[in-house]
mmCIF file of all heavy atoms in Angstrom:
data_model
loop_
_atom_site.group_PDB
_atom_site.id
_atom_site.type_symbol
_atom_site.label_atom_id
_atom_site.label_comp_id
_atom_site.label_asym_id
_atom_site.label_seq_id
_atom_site.Cartn_x
_atom_site.Cartn_y
_atom_site.Cartn_z
ATOM 1 N N SER A 4 114.345 93.252 74.497
ATOM 2 C CA SER A 4 113.363 92.603 75.369
ATOM 3 C C SER A 4 113.212 93.390 76.667
ATOM 4 O O SER A 4 114.033 94.242 77.005
ATOM 5 C CB SER A 4 113.811 91.185 75.683
ATOM 6 O OG SER A 4 114.951 91.210 76.518
ATOM 7 N N VAL A 5 112.171 93.040 77.396
ATOM 8 C CA VAL A 5 111.943 93.636 78.703
ATOM 9 C C VAL A 5 113.118 93.320 79.623
ATOM 10 O O VAL A 5 113.529 94.154 80.422
ATOM 11 C CB VAL A 5 110.603 93.129 79.288
ATOM 12 C CG1 VAL A 5 110.455 93.513 80.745
ATOM 13 C CG2 VAL A 5 109.436 93.672 78.471
ATOM 14 N N ILE A 9 115.097 96.081 81.794
ATOM 15 C CA ILE A 9 115.242 96.029 83.252
ATOM 16 C C ILE A 9 116.716 96.026 83.655
ATOM 17 O O ILE A 9 117.094 96.668 84.634
ATOM 18 C CB ILE A 9 114.498 94.814 83.839
ATOM 19 C CG1 ILE A 9 112.997 95.033 83.707
ATOM 20 C CG2 ILE A 9 114.865 94.582 85.294
ATOM 21 C CD1 ILE A 9 112.163 93.838 84.100
ATOM 22 N N GLY A 13 117.310 98.961 85.948
ATOM 23 C CA GLY A 13 117.248 98.448 87.303
ATOM 24 C C GLY A 13 115.902 97.812 87.587
ATOM 25 O O GLY A 13 114.918 98.119 86.911
ATOM 26 N N ASN A 14 115.870 96.959 88.584
ATOM 27 C CA ASN A 14 114.632 96.227 88.844
ATOM 28 C C ASN A 14 113.923 96.678 90.125
ATOM 29 O O ASN A 14 113.065 95.981 90.632
ATOM 30 C CB ASN A 14 114.903 94.719 88.895
ATOM 31 C CG ASN A 14 115.773 94.334 90.075
ATOM 32 O OD1 ASN A 14 116.389 95.167 90.710
ATOM 33 N ND2 ASN A 14 115.824 93.045 90.364
ATOM 34 N N ASP A 22 95.715 97.554 101.786
ATOM 35 C CA ASP A 22 95.077 98.118 102.970
ATOM 36 C C ASP A 22 95.646 99.476 103.377
ATOM 37 O O ASP A 22 95.148 100.099 104.316
ATOM 38 C CB ASP A 22 95.171 97.134 104.141
ATOM 39 C CG ASP A 22 94.352 95.883 103.869
ATOM 40 O OD1 ASP A 22 93.230 96.007 103.336
ATOM 41 O OD2 ASP A 22 94.853 94.776 104.153
ATOM 42 N N ALA A 23 96.671 99.935 102.669
ATOM 43 C CA ALA A 23 97.203 101.278 102.928
ATOM 44 C C ALA A 23 96.184 102.307 102.454
ATOM 45 O O ALA A 23 95.327 102.021 101.603
ATOM 46 C CB ALA A 23 98.520 101.467 102.183
ATOM 47 N N THR A 24 96.282 103.504 102.993
ATOM 48 C CA THR A 24 95.377 104.567 102.521
ATOM 49 C C THR A 24 95.923 105.170 101.230
ATOM 50 O O THR A 24 97.125 105.069 100.937
ATOM 51 C CB THR A 24 95.222 105.689 103.563
ATOM 52 O OG1 THR A 24 96.484 106.359 103.717
ATOM 53 C CG2 THR A 24 94.716 105.160 104.900
ATOM 54 N N ALA A 28 99.808 106.062 99.852
ATOM 55 C CA ALA A 28 100.298 105.742 98.507
ATOM 56 C C ALA A 28 100.813 106.998 97.809
ATOM 57 O O ALA A 28 101.883 106.980 97.190
ATOM 58 C CB ALA A 28 99.179 105.096 97.685
ATOM 59 N N MET A 34 107.566 110.695 97.324
ATOM 60 C CA MET A 34 108.897 110.468 97.871
ATOM 61 C C MET A 34 109.856 109.955 96.789
ATOM 62 O O MET A 34 111.009 110.357 96.729
ATOM 63 C CB MET A 34 108.824 109.451 99.016
ATOM 64 C CG MET A 34 110.162 109.152 99.674
ATOM 65 S SD MET A 34 110.086 107.808 100.900
ATOM 66 C CE MET A 34 108.611 108.163 101.811
ATOM 67 N N SER A 53 97.750 104.179 90.385
ATOM 68 C CA SER A 53 98.423 105.217 89.618
ATOM 69 C C SER A 53 97.822 106.590 89.896
ATOM 70 O O SER A 53 96.752 106.715 90.501
ATOM 71 C CB SER A 53 98.299 104.919 88.119
ATOM 72 O OG SER A 53 96.950 105.074 87.707
ATOM 73 N N ARG A 74 92.853 99.485 97.999
ATOM 74 C CA ARG A 74 92.076 98.406 97.382
ATOM 75 C C ARG A 74 90.747 98.890 96.810
ATOM 76 O O ARG A 74 90.212 98.286 95.901
ATOM 77 C CB ARG A 74 91.876 97.237 98.343
ATOM 78 C CG ARG A 74 90.805 97.371 99.354
ATOM 79 C CD ARG A 74 90.463 96.049 100.080
ATOM 80 N NE ARG A 74 91.562 95.459 100.819
ATOM 81 C CZ ARG A 74 92.211 94.346 100.457
ATOM 82 N NH1 ARG A 74 91.873 93.698 99.375
ATOM 83 N NH2 ARG A 74 93.189 93.887 101.199
ATOM 84 N N THR A 78 93.513 99.636 90.246
ATOM 85 C CA THR A 78 93.156 98.862 89.069
ATOM 86 C C THR A 78 93.503 97.420 89.399
ATOM 87 O O THR A 78 94.672 97.101 89.638
ATOM 88 C CB THR A 78 93.950 99.349 87.839
ATOM 89 O OG1 THR A 78 93.629 100.733 87.619
ATOM 90 C CG2 THR A 78 93.636 98.526 86.614
ATOM 91 N N CYS A 93 105.327 95.366 74.146
ATOM 92 C CA CYS A 93 104.922 96.229 75.261
ATOM 93 C C CYS A 93 104.256 97.501 74.738
ATOM 94 O O CYS A 93 103.220 97.926 75.267
ATOM 95 C CB CYS A 93 106.122 96.597 76.128
ATOM 96 S SG CYS A 93 106.785 95.218 77.071
ATOM 97 N N LEU A 105 103.580 98.495 83.228
ATOM 98 C CA LEU A 105 103.462 97.043 83.101
ATOM 99 C C LEU A 105 104.360 96.365 84.133
ATOM 100 O O LEU A 105 105.586 96.448 84.033
ATOM 101 C CB LEU A 105 103.887 96.581 81.706
ATOM 102 C CG LEU A 105 102.960 96.885 80.536
ATOM 103 C CD1 LEU A 105 103.658 96.578 79.221
ATOM 104 C CD2 LEU A 105 101.674 96.085 80.669
ATOM 105 N N LEU A 108 106.560 89.944 85.470
ATOM 106 C CA LEU A 108 106.522 88.752 86.303
ATOM 107 C C LEU A 108 107.330 87.640 85.661
ATOM 108 O O LEU A 108 107.266 87.438 84.450
ATOM 109 C CB LEU A 108 105.084 88.256 86.495
ATOM 110 C CG LEU A 108 104.099 89.199 87.187
ATOM 111 C CD1 LEU A 108 102.734 88.530 87.316
ATOM 112 C CD2 LEU A 108 104.593 89.627 88.551
ATOM 113 N N GLY A 111 105.805 83.864 88.292
ATOM 114 C CA GLY A 111 104.841 84.364 89.265
ATOM 115 C C GLY A 111 105.376 85.413 90.217
ATOM 116 O O GLY A 111 104.635 85.956 91.024
ATOM 117 N N VAL A 114 109.442 90.980 89.164
ATOM 118 C CA VAL A 114 110.876 91.208 88.956
ATOM 119 C C VAL A 114 111.180 92.587 88.367
ATOM 120 O O VAL A 114 112.344 92.933 88.177
ATOM 121 C CB VAL A 114 111.501 90.115 88.047
ATOM 122 C CG1 VAL A 114 111.430 88.756 88.719
ATOM 123 C CG2 VAL A 114 110.843 90.078 86.676
ATOM 124 N N GLY A 115 110.143 93.377 88.112
ATOM 125 C CA GLY A 115 110.378 94.708 87.579
ATOM 126 C C GLY A 115 109.079 95.400 87.230
ATOM 127 O O GLY A 115 107.992 94.826 87.336
ATOM 128 N N VAL A 123 109.278 103.977 75.290
ATOM 129 C CA VAL A 123 109.558 104.989 74.263
ATOM 130 C C VAL A 123 111.059 105.249 74.157
ATOM 131 O O VAL A 123 111.614 105.317 73.060
ATOM 132 C CB VAL A 123 108.780 106.295 74.552
ATOM 133 C CG1 VAL A 123 109.258 107.430 73.667
ATOM 134 C CG2 VAL A 123 107.287 106.064 74.370
ATOM 135 N N SER A 139 126.142 104.974 58.180
ATOM 136 C CA SER A 139 127.469 104.389 58.020
ATOM 137 C C SER A 139 127.534 103.549 56.743
ATOM 138 O O SER A 139 128.515 103.607 56.001
ATOM 139 C CB SER A 139 127.793 103.523 59.232
ATOM 140 O OG SER A 139 128.995 102.854 59.055
ATOM 141 N N SER A 144 129.647 103.090 51.455
ATOM 142 C CA SER A 144 129.511 102.412 50.158
ATOM 143 C C SER A 144 129.772 103.336 48.989
ATOM 144 O O SER A 144 129.751 102.910 47.852
ATOM 145 C CB SER A 144 128.105 101.812 50.038
ATOM 146 O OG SER A 144 127.130 102.832 49.999
#
Side-chain angles (χ1 to χ4, degrees):
S4 69
V5 169
I9 290 173
N14 66 346
D22 294 319
T24 66
M34 181 187 316
S53 69
R74 80 168 61 251
T78 300
C93 290
L105 288 170
L108 299 181
V114 296
V123 169
S139 174
S144 66

